[in-house]
Amino acid sequence: MKLSLISTALLAAVAEASWTKNLNYRSPSEHHPGLGVSLHKVNKRNTPTKKFSASQLNFTHGVASGDPYANSVILWTRISPQYEDVNSNSTVSGYVPLYNHGPKQVSTAPVCVNYKVSQSKDFKDCASEGTAYTSSDVDYTVKVEATGLQPFTRYYYQFTVCNSSKKSPLGRTKTAPHVNDHVSKVGLAVYSCSNYPFGFFNAYGNPARKDSVDYVIHLGDYIYEYAGDGDYGYGQSIGRVPKPEKIIYTLDDYRERHATYRSDLDLQLSHQTFPWIPVWDDHEVSDNTYRDGASELNNTEDSFVADGGVSVDQRKMNAVRAYFE
């Protein structure tokens, strides 16, 4: 009986560690812990018999890394199920994204992934590894911190669905120099104001194809909140209509907009090849966002009725949560 209790406790500890390994369950702000996702409530829905099989899961947006330190780096992916709902996964002509953002379905068991980090592509000697869970609560995204790394060193990383051979694309990243290191050259690619319907993101892909930089810095406006129907960019003629095809307000709206941008192959390649150091500007939320409002939204009754039926604070929370994920 004692051995059984110990085994149960160990399994519970492993499960808790796997949930907490995924940083996306945390609050985007240390000053607002209430914006985090309650792991206790998520875990209460856990029904192991209803978990997704590896064949039902897909790495829908490739992989990414960022926030490099001398001894650590953040790794990211999204591992999502494909539902049989005909309305959310139907075959259409023209613009067909790989990700699924149909009717909301709440997961009842965690999606489990392992990750490995190594200086070699064959992962013969792992510098860091671990296991993390994800769920519908964070849009099936995974964000982990690989630690114990060497400064200013190139690493390869990969995610694998637990107990399977389904792997993510192979990612590459690089740690930052140590604060006291003398480095003669650091290559940076700097971007801002990336509006999907304006054109193709070939500028993201060129440094990756040339392997000409160490890090990517994005100064903000990673996405735009507009409908893209001519209000600020018109992508119909080149097949670059941002989803959803409207001005975005809700959490699902912002998640789907980020997913549209991440369908661009050059953006995927840049994220897969280099660690990113991003900051936001205003359009990650909306045009000219400030503390109490934005150019098209403020905390008045008229604005609430006319501009999306959402408060300024709620829209900000939706946008920041999606950006954080």
Side-chain angles (χ1 to χ4, degrees):
M1 180 65 178
K2 185 176 181 181
L3 181 61
S4 176
L5 288 173
I6 293 174
S7 299
T8 302
L10 288 174
L11 287 172
V14 171
E16 181 65 21
S18 298
W19 284 116
T20 57
K21 275 281 190 180
N22 189 348
L23 303 179
N24 278 342
Y25 288 103
R26 299 184 183 181
S27 170
S29 171
E30 293 182 0
H31 301 292
H32 301 280
L35 297 181
V37 177
S38 170
L39 291 178
H40 174 69
K41 293 180 179 179
V42 174
N43 199 40
K44 284 183 69 175
R45 296 200 315 265
N46 186 6
T47 308
T49 57
K50 294 184 178 181
K51 70 178 182 179
F52 296 106
S53 66
S55 62
Q56 295 175 290
L57 299 168
N58 292 279
F59 291 97
T60 58
H61 295 70
V63 294
S65 69
D67 288 350
Y69 280 74
N71 61 355
S72 68
V73 68
I74 299 295
L75 309 178
W76 180 96
T77 193
R78 181 173 184 265
I79 178 69
S80 173
Q82 293 291 314
Y83 298 115
E84 295 180 354
D85 188 296
V86 67
N87 294 317
S88 64
N89 202 29
S90 56
T91 300
V92 296
S93 61
Y95 177 70
V96 185
L98 294 174
Y99 52 85
N100 178 285
H101 279 274
K104 187 73 172 179
Q105 299 194 39
V106 177
S107 56
T108 53
V111 175
C112 176
V113 294
N114 300 316
Y115 63 92
K116 291 184 177 182
V117 182
S118 175
Q119 292 188 40
S120 62
K121 294 181 180 179
D122 61 6
F123 296 94
K124 186 175 181 180
D125 296 308
C126 285
S128 183
E129 60 185 314
T131 300
Y133 290 162
T134 188
S135 65
S136 59
D137 307 271
V138 292
D139 200 28
Y140 298 102
T141 55
V142 177
K143 185 164 63 183
V144 297
E145 184 175 16
T147 58
L149 308 181
Q150 299 298 312
F152 206 48
T153 301
R154 175 175 291 176
Y155 287 96
Y156 297 92
Y157 64 95
Q158 194 164 44
F159 295 88
T160 306
V161 176
C162 295
N163 302 312
S164 81
S165 59
K166 175 162 283 189
K167 299 180 183 298
S168 73
L170 180 67
R172 197 186 78 175
T173 191
K174 192 171 189 176
T175 51
H178 189 273
V179 65
N180 295 320
D181 286 349
H182 295 282
V183 178
S184 60
K185 181 181 178 181
V186 174
L188 302 175
V190 183
Y191 304 104
S192 68
C193 306
S194 315
N195 195 5
Y196 188 83
F198 272 10
F200 296 96
F201 290 160
N202 58 292
Y204 283 142
N206 286 339
R209 284 184 283 270
K210 296 174 182 178
D211 198 13
S212 57
V213 301
D214 298 297
Y215 311 100
V216 169
I217 295 176
H218 200 290
L219 301 177
D221 294 345
Y222 182 83
I223 65 166
Y224 280 76
E225 80 284 4
Y226 298 109
D229 58 0
D231 55 352
Y232 194 64
Y234 183 77
Q236 292 282 359
S237 60
I238 56 174
R240 288 177 70 85
V241 179
K243 305 292 182 181
E245 296 180 37
K246 61 179 183 178
I247 298 174
I248 54 178
Y249 296 98
T250 70
L251 176 56
D252 284 343
D253 286 348
Y254 280 100
R255 284 172 169 171
E256 189 172 0
R257 184 60 55 88
H258 276 280
T260 298
Y261 277 62
R262 291 298 288 272
S263 69
D264 183 276
L265 296 181
D266 278 330
L267 179 54
Q268 286 187 25
L269 180 62
S270 180
H271 277 299
Q272 183 179 343
T273 308
F274 304 121
W276 277 48
I277 306 170
V279 296
W280 56 38
D281 194 8
D282 58 339
H283 287 285
E284 284 82 1
V285 179
S286 64
D287 185 34
N288 293 331
T289 300
Y290 62 103
R291 187 191 65 181
D292 299 317
S295 60
E296 298 293 336
L297 184 66
N298 56 69
N299 280 328
T300 63
E301 184 176 353
D302 287 344
S303 181
F304 184 86
V305 172
D307 301 317
V310 62
S311 70
V312 170
D313 290 342
Q314 184 62 60
R315 190 185 194 187
K316 282 183 181 179
M317 286 190 289
N318 294 339
V320 170
R321 160 53 61 183
Y323 182 89
F324 181 71
E325 291 173 352

